[in-house]
Amino acid sequence: GKAWKLNTEKDSIIVQPLFISRGTISNLQFNVNGTALLFVSAREEHSFIGVYDLASNKIQFQDPSTYEDTNPIWNSDGTQIAFVRKPFVKNEVLFAPKLTAQPWQIRVVNLLTQNAYTVFTADNGVGSVFVDDLPAGIKILWTKDNFIIFPWEKTGYIHLYSVEATSKKVTHLTPGIGEVESVSLSNDKKDIIYVSNILDSNRRHIWKVNPITQIPINLTKGNKIEYSPVEVNTGMVYLQASANRPSWPIFHNKDGIVNFLNEKEFPINFPTHLIVPKTILIKATDNLLAPAQLFLPLNYDPLKKYPAIIFLHGGSRRQMLEGFNYSSYYSNAYALNEYFALNGYIVMALNYRSGIGYGLQFREAKNYGMTGATEVNDLIGAGEYLKSRKDVDANRIGLWGGSYGGFLTAHGLAKRSDLFSVGVDIHGVHNWNDEEPTFTPWYDSLRMPEFGQIAYKASPINFVKGWKSPVLFMHGDDDRNVPFTETIHMIHQLRKQGVEVEEKVLPDEIHSFLLYNSWLKVDEATFEFISRKFKK
C-alpha cells in the first residue's frame, strides 16, 4: 500500500508517494502537530498499527502481533495511541450470525517508551464480538480528560463505555433499550456527542454525555429523525427528517431551533399530504416478532379492499424508520413507499431479522442469511398478516426491494407465489455461493461442500421451480456489490420455465445508483410494473 502527499507549486499539483508499505493502508490520522501519521496496515489474516514519522521518513509498527489490530486513535498530546485488538477468525463468512468470539481488547502504546499494555478486555459471551461492520461504524475515541471511549455490546445493545487509561476503570455511559450508532467528540474534546434510537427505537435522536458526570442528555426529542451533528461555536448543526419531510439542515442554538437554510430553498411543489406510518409487530411463521412500518392509503376507507405492497430493505444491516431515512438509498425508498400509499396501496416496510436497531439477538438471529435464511419466515408472516386483513385484496399482494431486499423478494416469489402475486427485484442476490466471494474472495463452495450445500439451500435459486408470479428485474451492469450475473442467471432459469419476466438494465451503473436519472427510472418502473400487473 501507499500513502500519498500533494505538493502545490504555482498552478500545478504534484502527487508523490509519502511512503510505501506492504498490505492495504487505511485509517490515516495525523498527530496533533502534524509530525507523525497513524495508520492501519491490513495483511490478509492479520493487521498492524503503524506510525510514520515525517522527519525521519521511518515507519514503526506498534506492538505487532498475529491479531487484527484496528481502529487506532491518538491521545490529545500525541504521545500515546490506543487501538482495538481482535482475533482473526478463519473461514468466517459475512452473511452468517456471529454471537460470540474470542474476546477483543483495547491496547495502549506509549510512543516514547514503546511500552504496550491492555486497558480493556471484553467478557466472554455477549459482547465478545467487536462490531464494526454497521452502517455508521463506531470507532474508539480519546478525550482530553484521558478517557478512552469505545462501543461494547455487553447488554445486548451497542452502547458506549469509557475506560481510564491509567486506572483501567470501565464505566457504562449510555444505558437504556436501544443502540448507539455514530459518535464524535465535542469541540473541546471532553464530551461525547452521539446518535441513538434509545427511548425511540424507530427514529434517531442526538445525545451528549460527559465521561466524568456520566449523565446522558437527550439534545433532540419528538417525532422527527436527527443525525449527523456538528458542533459549532454558538450551537449545533444537524440534519433533520420526519414522516412528511426529507432531510433538512437545522441550526440549534441556546435560544432554540433555527432553520439553517431559508425556507424558500425548500421545493415549493413538495407534497404536503404525506402519510405518517405506524410501527406494528409482525409474527413470523416461526413466531419471532419483527417490526414493520404500515402506511394506510390517503383517504383510507376500512370498508374497501386495497392492493398491498411489502418493501424489503437491503443490507441486511439496515432499518427503515418512521420517516425519511438518513441513508439516501432508503430515503428514496421511503419516498416511493409514500407514493404507493398516496396512490391507493396499503404499504408495509418490513424490518426483518438480521437488521439493526433492535439489539444483538435480533441482528444475529439464528440461521439467518447463508446459514438458513430464517428471515424469510418474517416475510411470509408479513404476507399472511396482510392477507388476513379485511381491507386488503388477498389476490394483490406484491413485493419490492433492492440488494438483500431483492434476495428476499426472490425468496418470497419462489416459495410463495400463491401469496405474493408480483415482485420487483432490484440487484438482488439469488445464489449465496456466487455472492459471498464478492466480499470474502477466499470463499469457494467447492472447497467447503457441506457449508456450500447449506448456503445453496438458503438461496432463492433452490426454490426457483415454485416461482410462478411475474417479476421485473433491474440491475446496473457495473455493480461491485452484487454481480450482474446474479440477475442474468435467474432470468435465464425463469424464462426456461415460462415465468413472465421483464427487465430494465442500467449500463455502467453501480450498486447504489450514482445518477438521479437512474433512481428516477427505477422508481418509476417499479410503480408502473406493479400497478400494471395488479390492474391486469
Side-chain angles (χ1 to χ4, degrees):
K2 295 181 181 180
W4 297 85
K5 63 179 179 179
L6 295 178
N7 290 335
T8 57
E9 297 180 2
K10 296 182 180 180
D11 296 327
S12 62
I13 297 177
I14 302 172
V15 181
Q16 297 174 314
L18 182 63
F19 65 84
I20 299 174
S21 175
R22 287 180 54 231
T24 301
I25 295 173
S26 62
N27 290 87
L28 294 160
Q29 303 169 56
F30 279 106
N31 62 356
V32 66
N33 55 15
T35 60
L37 191 61
L38 182 62
F39 64 95
V40 175
S41 176
R43 305 185 177 195
E44 294 188 10
E45 297 185 355
H46 67 288
S47 57
F48 295 145
I49 305 299
V51 174
Y52 170 74
D53 183 80
L54 276 74
S56 65
N57 193 32
K58 290 183 178 179
I59 294 173
Q60 186 164 24
F61 291 107
Q62 309 298 315
D63 190 29
S65 73
T66 59
Y67 288 77
E68 289 186 275
D69 292 342
T70 64
N71 294 273
I73 190 73
W74 295 100
N75 71 340
S76 60
D77 63 8
T79 59
Q80 298 181 82
I81 59 171
F83 60 89
V84 172
R85 171 163 287 176
K86 56 183 184 179
F88 171 76
V89 181
K90 189 172 179 61
N91 293 340
E92 182 177 67
V93 296
L94 186 62
F95 300 97
K98 303 170 185 66
L99 285 164
T100 61
Q102 295 179 42
W104 56 279
Q105 302 177 335
I106 296 177
R107 299 275 289 174
V108 170
V109 179
N110 186 309
L111 297 180
L112 299 177
T113 65
Q114 284 297 294
N115 180 41
Y117 58 98
T118 299
V119 294
F120 170 80
T121 301
D123 296 337
N124 287 302
V126 176
S128 58
V129 178
F130 184 74
V131 182
D132 59 357
D133 64 343
L134 302 186
I138 303 174
K139 300 177 175 63
I140 63 172
L141 302 170
W142 202 326
T143 73
K144 193 172 183 177
D145 294 323
N146 210 31
F147 291 94
I148 298 171
I149 310 301
F150 62 94
W152 190 20
E153 211 165 9
K154 177 61 180 174
T155 65
Y157 295 91
I158 299 173
H159 283 183
L160 295 180
Y161 293 76
S162 67
V163 58
E164 296 180 63
T166 50
S167 70
K168 302 182 184 180
K169 180 184 177 183
V170 175
T171 303
H172 186 186
L173 298 177
T174 58
I177 302 299
E179 315 248 66
V180 173
E181 197 167 66
S182 61
V183 183
S184 61
L185 288 179
S186 60
N187 287 344
D188 64 7
K189 309 298 182 185
K190 294 183 177 182
D191 295 328
I192 299 100
I193 300 169
Y194 59 100
V195 176
S196 174
N197 70 344
I198 291 174
L199 302 182
D200 196 351
S201 60
N202 297 292
R203 296 187 183 91
R204 297 290 186 272
H205 298 298
I206 301 168
W207 295 68
K208 180 167 73 171
V209 66
N210 184 284
I212 296 176
T213 61
Q214 302 168 21
I215 301 174
I217 301 171
N218 194 180
L219 299 178
T220 63
K221 302 177 183 179
N223 62 357
K224 294 182 172 59
I225 297 161
E226 295 95 9
Y227 61 99
S228 297
V230 176
E231 193 177 45
V232 294
N233 291 337
T234 55
M236 181 177 292
V237 177
Y238 54 86
L239 293 174
Q240 182 185 79
S242 67
N244 49 30
R245 184 163 172 159
S247 295
W248 190 252
I250 297 293
F251 172 53
H252 197 157
N253 62 19
K254 60 181 178 62
D255 298 320
I257 292 176
V258 180
N259 282 323
F260 189 72
L261 294 179
N262 191 310
E263 276 296 308
K264 293 180 181 178
E265 300 291 335
F266 196 80
I268 59 174
N269 60 344
F270 193 81
T272 58
H273 53 288
L274 297 187
I275 309 300
V276 177
K278 179 183 177 182
T279 297
I280 61 174
L281 291 177
I282 294 297
K283 182 179 283 189
T285 55
D286 58 2
N287 294 321
L288 183 139
L289 296 177
Q293 277 93 44
L294 191 69
F295 302 70
L296 295 179
L298 190 66
N299 302 319
Y300 169 73
D301 181 352
L303 299 180
K304 289 180 64 176
K305 283 190 176 292
Y306 296 92
I309 191 81
I310 299 174
F311 170 71
L312 300 153
H313 65 72
S316 61
R317 307 308 202 207
R318 306 288 186 271
Q319 181 192 17
M320 297 304 290
L321 307 176
E322 292 181 9
F324 281 89
N325 205 278
Y326 52 86
S327 157
S328 60
Y329 190 116
Y330 297 107
S331 180
N332 292 340
Y334 179 88
L336 185 52
N337 284 336
E338 284 279 3
Y339 191 76
F340 270 110
L342 293 176
N343 283 275
Y345 287 77
I346 289 178
V347 180
M348 178 188 293
L350 178 64
N351 282 321
Y352 53 89
R353 75 189 77 179
S354 80
I356 61 171
Y358 307 110
L360 172 67
Q361 296 299 325
F362 188 84
R363 190 189 72 239
E364 304 296 335
K366 184 179 180 181
N367 297 333
Y368 95 86
M370 293 182 73
T371 62
T374 51
E375 59 273 36
V376 178
N377 297 332
D378 305 333
L379 171 57
I380 294 174
E384 294 289 1
Y385 164 79
L386 289 173
K387 182 181 177 181
S388 71
R389 288 180 61 111
K390 293 181 180 180
D391 55 1
V392 170
D393 180 348
N395 294 315
R396 294 191 294 168
I397 301 174
L399 304 174
W400 82 280
S403 196
Y404 211 108
F407 162 77
L408 282 175
T409 295
H411 250 302
L413 297 176
K415 296 189 78 171
R416 292 296 305 272
S417 273
D418 62 313
L419 179 60
F420 304 116
S421 57
V422 65
V424 175
D425 178 339
I426 306 167
H427 43 232
V429 173
H430 305 126
N431 185 342
W432 281 124
N433 290 324
D434 294 335
E435 167 64 15
E436 182 64 22
T438 304
F439 297 97
T440 48
W442 57 262
Y443 180 79
D444 183 349
S445 60
L446 297 179
R447 295 172 56 191
M448 307 169 63
E450 291 185 13
F451 186 82
Q453 280 296 309
I454 293 171
Y456 184 83
K457 291 177 181 177
S459 303
I461 193 67
N462 183 51
F463 303 95
V464 71
K465 294 297 183 183
W467 193 321
K468 309 295 181 186
S469 300
V471 60
L472 168 64
F473 289 96
M474 291 187 277
H475 207 152
D477 85 323
D478 192 23
D479 194 324
R480 323 288 175 84
N481 296 54
V482 177
F484 187 63
T485 52
E486 287 287 277
T487 292
I488 292 174
H489 296 164
M490 183 59 86
I491 286 177
H492 176 74
Q493 178 62 39
L494 291 176
R495 284 184 171 148
K496 195 165 63 172
Q497 62 189 50
V499 175
E500 185 180 348
V501 174
E502 293 185 22
E503 62 178 72
K504 182 176 286 293
V505 173
L506 289 81
D508 301 323
E509 262 292 11
I510 62 168
H511 193 67
S512 186
F513 308 127
L514 291 171
L515 302 178
Y516 168 78
N517 191 46
S518 298
W519 285 107
L520 197 60
K521 283 181 181 178
V522 167
D523 285 355
E524 287 178 340
T526 298
F527 181 80
E528 189 280 330
F529 179 80
I530 290 173
S531 299
R532 173 161 44 90
K533 294 303 172 186
F534 277 171
K535 286 178 182 178
K536 185 177 179 180

